[in-house]
């Protein structure tokens, strides 16, 4: 039909080089591509920096979701990352440390874009599948939870990073995570920042499905670093989904090193969800998706602006220290500040100045 109105905000969208927008044919229930219907794949393509997003990438994600939302021939959106190491690890800490730290007005502007990115996902007129190909951490966890369905590689990990690196997970985690898991589990994840395996995330209800992706000698094996059976520890506590510890963890890492990551099964699972969505009434599907999203939107819309204000001001104090430490640190230990010294200095009335930062940032 000719003469259809173009509802895109821009007539010729130019995406950031680190954000890919691709259309793939819908597969029908006989396993064949169906001509004229597509899924839109939005891919964070910053693999060297674990698909962390910078300011330009955030703008392009907003435009990409808007384009997919108004595309009449798009059935479903898939949000993912390049490679096999990460879906997304959040905001680009190099940009945070070298540009936004100490500049609350600039970060205030940036957080308007970030909030619009989360809202673009929540307001998309198509179901959104988060394809988790690796780490989904920090802001990556937050934009992932804004999606409607999550399927993951079983080598993926999920978690927050805020209080460990000078921020609070107010970009969606404090709004969304208690809706997926218990309030207490959300509290532990957001405060202690301890990672969950994909199996733990599925066990707690955070994600829908997990696929083994480690291929050794032509066969797929579940992630050997994780307890995948329904076992209990010496005290009778369930450990299904927990990471192995000590010597067992080291043996598991050696096992991982023997294989390679093959995401074909993950892609097949994603395609199966796309096909299932295609075989529904489009209007009824969209209304159902919107109705269920209201539970997220109720919290997100209530808190996003006040969170933005606080996060901007925090760039003068703890975020300035945390992002500098992460950016300058050469090891895992030196990428976090000296927490105990910081608490001691503040208890003695120390001001947030360069002298304090020099004392708590490790090298």
């Amino acid at each position: 039909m000719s003469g259809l109105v173009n509802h895109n905000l821009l007539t010729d969208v130019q995406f950031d080089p680190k954000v890919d927008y691709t259309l793939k044919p819908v597969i029908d229930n006989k396993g064949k591509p169906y001509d004229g219907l597509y899924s839109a794949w939005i891919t964070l393509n910053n693999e060297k920096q674990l698909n962390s997003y910078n300011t330009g990438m955030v703008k392009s994600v907003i435009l990409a979701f808007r384009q997919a939302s108004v595309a009449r021939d798009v059935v479903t959106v898939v949000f993912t990352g390049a490679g096999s190491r990460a879906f997304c690890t959040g905001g680009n800490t190099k940009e945070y440390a070298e540009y936004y730290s100490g500049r609350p007005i600039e970060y205030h502007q940036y957080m308007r874009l970030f909030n619009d990115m989360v809202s673009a996902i929540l307001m998309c007129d198509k179901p959104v599948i988060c394809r988790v190909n690796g780490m989904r951490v920090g802001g990556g966890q937050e934009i992932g939870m804004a999606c409607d369905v999550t399927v993951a590689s079983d080598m993926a990990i999920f978690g927050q990073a805020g209080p460990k690196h000078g921020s609070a997970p107010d970009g969606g985690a404090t709004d969304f995570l208690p809706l997926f898991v218990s309030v207490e589990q959300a509290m532990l994840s957001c405060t202690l920042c301890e990672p969950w395996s994909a199996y733990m995330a599925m066990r707690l209800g955070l994600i829908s499905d997990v696929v083994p992706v480690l291929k050794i000698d032509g066969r797929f094996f579940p992630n050997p670093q994780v307890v995948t059976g329904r076992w209990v520890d010496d005290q009778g506590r369930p450990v299904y989904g927990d990471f192995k510890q000590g010597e067992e963890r080291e043996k598991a890492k050696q096992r991982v090193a023997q294989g390679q990551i093959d995401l074909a099964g993950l892609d097949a699972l994603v395609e199966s969800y796309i096909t299932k969505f295609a075989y529904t009434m489009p209007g009824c599907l969209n209304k159902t998706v919107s109705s269920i999203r209201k539970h997220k939107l109720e919290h997100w819309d209530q808190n996003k602006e006040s969170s933005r204000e606080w996060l901007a001001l925090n760039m003068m104090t703890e975020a300035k220290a945390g992002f500098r430490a992460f950016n300058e640190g050469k090891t895992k230990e030196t990428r976090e500040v000296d927490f105990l010294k910081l608490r001691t200095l503040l208890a003695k009335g120390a001001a947030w100045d360069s002298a304090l930062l020099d004392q708590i940032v490790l090298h």
Side-chain angles (χ1 to χ4, degrees), residues 316-331:
M316 294 300 295
T317 55
E318 292 184 358
K320 185 175 183 179
F323 292 132
R324 175 183 160 185
F326 190 89
N327 190 49
E328 296 177 9
K330 303 301 182 184
T331 66

Side-chain angles (χ1 to χ4, degrees), residues 303-321:
N303 298 317
K304 63 183 180 182
E305 289 306 315
S306 60
S307 295
R308 174 186 174 224
E309 304 291 343
W310 181 87
L311 289 165
L313 292 174
N314 187 52
M315 272 295 180
M316 294 300 295
T317 55
E318 292 184 358
K320 185 175 183 179

